[in-house]
Amino acid sequence: MASSSSSSSVKFIEKALLATGSFALSYTDPDQKWLIRKHLTSFLQDYPNFELSTDTFNHNNGAKVQLFCLEGSLRTRSSPIQLPTVQVTIWIHENYPLTPPLVFINPDSIPIRTNHPFVNSSGFTNSRYIETWEYPRCNLLDSIRNLRKVLANDHPFVPTDSIPTRNLSISRIEALDRLATSLHYDVLTIMERSGEEIENLWKLQSEVKQRSESVKTIITELENERETLKVRALKLKDDSNVLEDWAETNYRKLTKSASMDMGIEEMFETEPEVEGMAEDDAIEDVLRVLEEAAARGELEIGSYLKQVRVLAREQF
């Protein structure tokens, strides 16, 4: 890498542009070389603290080119507050001035703030001026002046809200940069709030799902209870029919008892069939209770079988 002093910057530029072989730069057009010489000279006159050199630049696609490189510091604000200077590296693109220069911030010992609207984590800078780059309206010197204002408005190392603002007239480009900064942070705030709302909605959805499962369980239990009640209602209906049949059969006895002296046992004497049905129902109930007790382990299998045999003999 070669470097130049402020006194010999023009000679260094000319020598670098005329170099051939392995030292040749990636600027091929003669008119382009003349414009690069002019713009570099103007820049070094305004920023004499920058050092000019040539070096290899690696593009993201893997291509390697030999370019001019400027390294120096930008003081983003004077009074009423002193902010850290920003060390930058400027690469003059091989297609300059049709393509804007590539500017990187060197964080050194101070890390770059996260979510900065114009500086990414690698230090690469961008702004409205760069996004709307158009030659000959745009040039190297004005782009760095604009970058200095952008970084003064939103410093890469210091939070924006800690920097006091001044009521000065600003250019249209700077106004757009400030607007882009405000919109950037507004979007971040909205995204953060949206993330919280989405998380709350997920929690609410999970709670609703659990409640839905509980409601389904309750509905299933109610359906089962309804079926049980239906069975009981049918049984009560059958028992009611049996009582009606008995009443019709014994109606004469009841009317006779009103005129004759009849004993209580004689009045409620049941038919053999009805009595047999009652006994069968009673035995069935006992068998069901014994079966449930045996299933729960409350009755030994031997006792269970013995009781079943006895009841079976009584029933049949």
Side-chain angles (χ1 to χ4, degrees), residues 225-239:
E225 186 175 354
R226 185 177 68 174
E227 294 298 325
T228 302
L229 290 175
K230 283 184 178 180
V231 173
R232 290 182 180 178
L234 291 175
K235 189 175 185 305
L236 289 174
K237 185 177 180 181
D238 293 339
D239 293 342

Side-chain angles (χ1 to χ4, degrees), residues 182-195:
S182 300
L183 291 175
H184 173 80
Y185 289 114
D186 287 344
V187 168
L188 290 179
T189 302
I190 292 172
M191 290 178 63
E192 183 178 357
R193 291 178 180 174
S194 299

Side-chain angles (χ1 to χ4, degrees), residues 6 23 53 57 74 86 88 188 229 268 292 302:
S6 57
F23 298 101
S53 62
F57 180 82
L74 290 177
V86 181
V88 298
L188 290 179
L229 290 175
F268 292 96
E292 293 176 354

Side-chain angles (χ1 to χ4, degrees), residues 74-94:
L74 290 177
R75 186 174 296 279
T76 57
R77 186 185 293 264
S78 55
S79 60
I81 183 173
Q82 291 293 335
L83 297 174
T85 57
V86 181
Q87 298 291 328
V88 298
T89 300
I90 307 169
W91 295 89
I92 309 302
H93 198 278
E94 65 269 22

Side-chain angles (χ1 to χ4, degrees), residues 118-135:
F118 303 116
V119 185
N120 64 19
S121 58
S122 66
F124 179 70
T125 64
N126 196 10
S127 66
R128 180 70 179 174
Y129 188 94
I130 296 299
E131 290 178 350
T132 60
W133 180 277
E134 184 180 0
Y135 177 76

Side-chain angles (χ1 to χ4, degrees), residues 5-265:
S5 63
S6 57
S7 60
S8 59
S9 60
V10 176
K11 292 182 179 180
F12 175 79
I13 295 170
E14 292 177 347
K15 183 178 179 181
L17 290 173
L18 294 174
T20 59
S22 59
F23 298 101
L25 299 179
S26 299
Y27 313 109
T28 56
D29 185 81
D31 293 336
Q32 178 195 26
K33 291 181 179 180
W34 183 86
L35 282 172
I36 290 175
R37 175 186 179 278
K38 179 181 177 181
H39 290 181
L40 284 175
T41 303
S42 298
F43 177 85
L44 291 172
Q45 287 176 353
D46 272 38
Y47 295 94
N49 61 312
F50 274 74
E51 293 186 0
L52 178 64
S53 62
T54 61
D55 202 353
T56 302
F57 180 82
N58 296 317
H59 283 290
N60 292 334
N61 60 4
K64 295 183 178 182
V65 288
Q66 290 293 122
L67 304 177
F68 277 118
C69 178
L70 291 158
E71 292 183 296
S73 60
L74 290 177
R75 186 174 296 279
T76 57
R77 186 185 293 264
S78 55
S79 60
I81 183 173
Q82 291 293 335
L83 297 174
T85 57
V86 181
Q87 298 291 328
V88 298
T89 300
I90 307 169
W91 295 89
I92 309 302
H93 198 278
E94 65 269 22
N95 295 325
Y96 181 88
L98 299 179
T99 301
L102 306 172
V103 184
F104 294 85
I105 290 179
N106 305 321
D108 294 332
S109 59
I110 307 177
I112 297 173
R113 285 174 36 231
T114 56
N115 296 325
H116 195 283
F118 303 116
V119 185
N120 64 19
S121 58
S122 66
F124 179 70
T125 64
N126 196 10
S127 66
R128 180 70 179 174
Y129 188 94
I130 296 299
E131 290 178 350
T132 60
W133 180 277
E134 184 180 0
Y135 177 76
R137 176 178 59 84
C138 302
N139 58 73
L140 170 65
L141 180 58
D142 288 342
S143 69
I144 300 304
R145 287 173 177 170
N146 173 260
L147 177 63
R148 182 172 178 269
K149 293 178 180 178
V150 167
L151 298 181
N153 182 57
D154 194 1
H155 200 279
F157 304 141
V158 181
T160 306
D161 54 9
S162 66
I163 303 175
T165 58
R166 295 175 292 177
N167 295 324
L168 300 176
S169 60
I170 59 176
S171 65
R172 179 175 178 272
I173 291 295
E174 187 177 357
L176 289 173
D177 288 334
R178 292 191 178 185
L179 177 60
T181 301
S182 300
L183 291 175
H184 173 80
Y185 289 114
D186 287 344
V187 168
L188 290 179
T189 302
I190 292 172
M191 290 178 63
E192 183 178 357
R193 291 178 180 174
S194 299
E196 293 176 355
E197 291 179 359
I198 291 172
E199 185 176 356
N200 292 333
L201 288 174
W202 277 114
K203 292 180 180 178
L204 180 60
Q205 182 182 18
S206 177
E207 184 178 350
V208 170
K209 185 177 181 180
Q210 292 177 357
R211 292 184 179 182
S212 175
E213 294 297 329
S214 299
V215 171
K216 288 180 180 179
T217 301
I218 293 173
I219 292 174
T220 301
E221 292 176 354
L222 290 175
E223 290 288 343
N224 294 335
E225 186 175 354
R226 185 177 68 174
E227 294 298 325
T228 302
L229 290 175
K230 283 184 178 180
V231 173
R232 290 182 180 178
L234 291 175
K235 189 175 185 305
L236 289 174
K237 185 177 180 181
D238 293 339
D239 293 342
S240 176
N241 292 333
V242 171
L243 288 174
E244 289 179 359
D245 294 340
W246 179 88
E248 290 178 0
T249 304
N250 293 275
Y251 177 74
R252 294 180 180 178
K253 293 181 179 180
L254 291 172
T255 54
K256 182 179 180 182
S257 65
S259 59
M260 297 177 61
D261 186 11
M262 183 179 293
I264 190 66
E265 294 180 359

